[in-house]
Amino acid sequence: MRKARKIELLLSAFSSLQGARILEVGTGSGYMAQYFSERVGPTGRVHACDVMDQRQVTEGYEFQQIQDTRLPYQDDTFDIVITNHVIEHVGEREAQIQHLQEIRRVLKPDGYVYLAVPNRWAFIEPHYKLLFLSWLPAPLSSIYLRLRGRGNFYDCRPLSHRSLTRLLHQTGFRFHQQTFAAISVMRDLEQPHLSKPRRLALSAPRFMLPAVYPVIPTLIMILTPRSL
């Protein structure tokens, strides 16, 4: 499971997983939660939650179904929280703020958050694979979907780097930019499976990466809480 391994490698630069109490918000199939349950060791613990129970793997972690952005856990509970491509699905800006506030509430004062979100200004929208879909205002993006026969309503709200950092400051987080580090990790993990164009893209010299940062497909950060 290369995605889980990527997250593990990025988190390991900041915190040991052994003995950690981890929460995955938006667990989906449950594979990620199970993966980390095997990494935290006998003294660690993994919890997962989602608004729908679509799990294909149910063992190794504790699951709770939730109704909205509220998290059913006590304050200062988790060493690590993972929110991987979740914030764009929770709703409009107010719901995104609540999502981050809840994560900060359940995170220990010395804890870490892995956050990944699609970049609004990426050329190809990752959920529907349509050119420039996330660039459009919400009403126009839904019209675009209908015209292409992909659905009736565009329910994702990807964030630009500027709007994401604004939200993080507002909700009490410091952030450590990991987008470029993630590119290096994925290049190493996926090397045997990469198509030639993707191999070339992931092998671009590091000094060239800032030039494409505004439209890079995914923004990845490690967050730490700061004093409000």
Side-chain angles (χ1 to χ4, degrees):
M1 190 171 186
R2 292 190 295 275
K3 288 183 181 178
R5 177 60 176 158
K6 175 192 73 176
I7 294 172
E8 178 188 8
L9 289 172
L10 292 173
L11 281 169
S12 295
F14 294 85
S15 177
S16 172
L17 300 185
Q18 281 293 313
R21 193 165 186 179
I22 296 177
L23 171 65
E24 184 194 10
V25 182
T27 194
S29 65
Y31 284 107
M32 192 93 69
Q34 185 190 57
Y35 178 92
F36 280 101
S37 72
E38 297 169 355
R39 296 299 183 274
V40 297
T43 60
R45 209 166 175 189
V46 175
H47 297 251
C49 62
D50 209 324
V51 294
M52 297 178 67
D53 189 352
Q54 299 177 311
R55 292 175 296 155
Q56 299 174 34
V57 178
T58 60
E59 296 183 358
Y61 62 93
E62 297 181 27
F63 174 79
Q64 289 198 56
Q65 192 165 345
I66 56 177
Q67 308 231 335
D68 48 36
T69 55
R70 289 172 294 182
L71 298 175
Y73 309 102
Q74 295 183 352
D75 296 1
D76 305 332
T77 297
F78 297 102
D79 301 292
I80 294 170
V81 178
I82 298 169
T83 172
N84 183 45
H85 291 268
V86 173
I87 192 171
E88 70 271 20
H89 295 288
V90 304
E92 302 295 338
R93 190 56 48 89
E94 188 58 39
Q96 292 178 341
I97 290 171
Q98 291 168 359
H99 174 71
L100 291 171
Q101 286 174 332
E102 277 291 278
I103 287 172
R104 191 185 186 284
R105 180 183 65 78
V106 303
L107 185 70
K108 291 180 180 179
D110 57 350
Y112 294 90
V113 179
Y114 173 92
L115 181 147
V117 59
N119 185 351
R120 181 184 177 185
W121 303 122
F123 295 128
I124 303 293
E125 201 279 345
H127 304 93
Y128 295 92
K129 310 300 182 186
L130 290 176
L131 191 66
F132 301 129
L133 175 62
S134 56
W135 292 37
L136 300 172
L140 291 180
S141 59
S142 294
I143 293 172
Y144 185 15
L145 276 187
R146 289 195 290 272
L147 290 173
R148 295 299 302 271
R150 302 290 185 87
N152 294 315
F153 178 67
Y154 182 55
D155 59 352
C156 300
R157 296 294 179 266
L159 294 161
S160 67
H161 182 264
R162 179 178 295 180
S163 59
L164 176 59
T165 55
R166 219 180 266 139
L167 285 185
L168 295 177
H169 286 302
Q170 185 175 348
T171 51
F173 284 107
R174 294 188 181 91
F175 61 89
H176 306 269
Q177 183 59 254
Q178 294 294 291
T179 303
F180 299 151
I183 290 173
S184 298
V185 168
M186 289 309 292
R187 180 191 61 219
D188 295 340
L189 290 177
E190 294 187 0
Q191 196 69 27
H193 313 278
L194 291 175
S195 64
K196 189 171 183 179
R198 185 163 169 77
R199 188 179 298 116
L200 289 172
L202 290 176
S203 300
R206 194 175 180 89
F207 73 85
M208 293 177 60
L209 295 176
V212 298
Y213 191 74
V215 294
I216 208 161
T218 303
L219 304 171
I220 297 176
M221 297 181 180
I222 300 295
L223 315 180
T224 55
R226 61 175 173 79
S227 300
L228 293 174

